[in-house]
Amino acid sequence: MLCVRCNALYVLRCRVLNRFGMIHGIRLTPLSGSFNVTHPSPAKQALVKNDMNLNNKSKRRKELIEIAAEMFCREGYERTTVRMLAEAMGIKSGSLFHHFNDKQEMLCAVIETGMTHALDVAERALLQAQSPRDRLTALAQAHLKTLLDDRNAHVVAIYEWRSLSDPSRAHLIALRDRYEALWRTEIEACLAAGLLKGDPSLLRHLALGALNWTVQWYDAQGEKSPESLAEGLVQLMLGEAAVGLHA
């Protein structure tokens, strides 16, 4: 048995170490003169990692996220290795982990960057529109703008969502819900104004699906501008194209 003084020193040391351990999700507690180490669940460890690194907004990290987005878009998440990412970034594989915990965090960061940008552009576009129709058009134009300006991140978000781990997906769902809520609000406003008919959830999914699919076929050098595509979608949704209200 340890003497009272020694045990007191262990307790003090335990408290000091816990300040470090909290960062890594590990807690030390004195137990019969020794230490009991309690490790969190894998899910909690992953969430702690995400909290530590996803908030890192350094310029270098942003550059690495752009490169990762390009690699995941071109090669696919599963086929892209850490070595391939490091080579594309011009750094050693080990140096990559100064910025990210693992490849999964890179995927999460790529999608988060694209979603945050889309949300920001959409919210700013709505500030300039007043009527229900104009606000719906503004949302469609904003969505296409982000798809074209940040194509790699959005292609990754569309096709690699299934590759996210549960903690990463949970982290991003809140952002996705905020973005979809903008569409829900404007579609319901059009329904209330008599401009739209149908199920609001179905209308939202059809609209977003049609816009997202443009990454497969739209040619920015072609005849159609993003604005005209957005206008065409709204015409179809409101039934205006059939009667030629907006040429």
Side-chain angles (χ1 to χ4, degrees), residues 133 137 226-238 241 246:
R133 189 192 188 284
T137 304
E227 292 76 17
S228 65
L229 285 180
E231 176 64 25
L233 173 71
V234 172
Q235 288 178 10
L236 288 171
M237 291 180 68
L238 303 184
H246 292 269

Side-chain angles (χ1 to χ4, degrees), residues 151-164:
R151 182 182 182 277
N152 290 336
H154 288 285
V155 169
V156 172
I158 293 168
Y159 294 104
E160 298 294 352
W161 184 268
R162 66 185 185 280
S163 299
L164 290 167

Side-chain angles (χ1 to χ4, degrees), residues 143-151 154 214-215 218 220 225-226:
H143 193 91
L144 283 174
K145 175 177 173 54
T146 57
L147 281 176
L148 297 174
D149 290 349
D150 202 9
R151 182 182 182 277
H154 288 285
T214 59
V215 299
Y218 178 67
S225 67

Side-chain angles (χ1 to χ4, degrees), residues 145-221:
K145 175 177 173 54
T146 57
L147 281 176
L148 297 174
D149 290 349
D150 202 9
R151 182 182 182 277
N152 290 336
H154 288 285
V155 169
V156 172
I158 293 168
Y159 294 104
E160 298 294 352
W161 184 268
R162 66 185 185 280
S163 299
L164 290 167
S165 65
D166 289 341
S168 295
R169 190 177 296 110
H171 174 81
L172 294 171
I173 281 176
L175 274 177
R176 184 198 65 185
D177 289 349
R178 281 179 59 195
Y179 184 75
E180 290 189 354
L182 297 179
W183 279 86
R184 186 180 301 109
T185 298
E186 301 312 324
I187 286 175
E188 289 176 351
C190 286
L191 286 166
L195 299 174
L196 268 176
K197 294 181 180 180
D199 177 77
S201 178
L202 180 59
L203 289 169
R204 184 179 77 255
H205 282 100
L206 287 174
L208 291 174
L211 290 169
N212 287 339
W213 192 246
T214 59
V215 299
Q216 292 290 341
W217 59 267
Y218 178 67
D219 180 7
Q221 306 303 318

Side-chain angles (χ1 to χ4, degrees), residues 7-232:
N7 191 52
L9 289 174
Y10 274 132
V11 172
L12 178 60
R13 186 184 178 196
C14 180
R15 289 175 179 173
V16 173
L17 289 174
N18 270 335
R19 288 187 176 273
F20 174 79
M22 285 174 64
I23 298 175
H24 297 278
I26 300 172
R27 182 164 182 80
L28 308 175
T29 57
L31 181 64
S32 301
S34 61
F35 288 107
N36 180 38
V37 181
T38 304
H39 293 277
S41 65
K44 187 173 182 180
Q45 290 182 33
L47 285 174
V48 170
K49 287 182 178 181
N50 282 339
D51 288 343
M52 289 172 62
N53 282 330
L54 287 178
N55 292 324
N56 182 340
K57 304 300 182 183
S58 70
K59 181 180 179 181
R60 180 54 174 159
R61 180 181 165 90
K62 290 179 181 179
E63 293 172 349
L64 298 180
I65 289 173
E66 291 179 2
I67 296 172
E70 182 181 356
M71 292 291 294
F72 292 153
C73 181
R74 186 174 70 244
E75 304 293 338
Y77 174 74
E78 293 298 336
R79 290 190 298 273
T80 302
T81 66
V82 170
R83 178 175 293 180
M84 291 166 62
L85 287 164
E87 289 178 354
M89 296 172 183
I91 59 178
K92 295 181 178 179
S93 297
S95 300
L96 197 57
F97 299 108
H98 290 299
H99 303 276
F100 305 94
N101 286 305
D102 50 33
K103 191 175 80 165
Q104 176 64 211
E105 188 183 292
M106 290 183 230
L107 175 63
C108 188
V110 165
I111 296 176
E112 181 187 42
T113 298
M115 293 175 72
T116 301
H117 180 226
L119 187 61
D120 179 60
V121 171
E123 289 176 338
R124 285 190 282 110
L126 287 173
L127 293 175
Q128 309 300 320
Q130 298 298 322
S131 71
R133 189 192 188 284
D134 287 347
R135 290 174 68 82
L136 185 63
T137 304
L139 268 185
Q141 290 177 346
H143 193 91
L144 283 174
K145 175 177 173 54
T146 57
L147 281 176
L148 297 174
D149 290 349
D150 202 9
R151 182 182 182 277
N152 290 336
H154 288 285
V155 169
V156 172
I158 293 168
Y159 294 104
E160 298 294 352
W161 184 268
R162 66 185 185 280
S163 299
L164 290 167
S165 65
D166 289 341
S168 295
R169 190 177 296 110
H171 174 81
L172 294 171
I173 281 176
L175 274 177
R176 184 198 65 185
D177 289 349
R178 281 179 59 195
Y179 184 75
E180 290 189 354
L182 297 179
W183 279 86
R184 186 180 301 109
T185 298
E186 301 312 324
I187 286 175
E188 289 176 351
C190 286
L191 286 166
L195 299 174
L196 268 176
K197 294 181 180 180
D199 177 77
S201 178
L202 180 59
L203 289 169
R204 184 179 77 255
H205 282 100
L206 287 174
L208 291 174
L211 290 169
N212 287 339
W213 192 246
T214 59
V215 299
Q216 292 290 341
W217 59 267
Y218 178 67
D219 180 7
Q221 306 303 318
E223 296 180 358
K224 294 289 186 180
S225 67
E227 292 76 17
S228 65
L229 285 180
E231 176 64 25

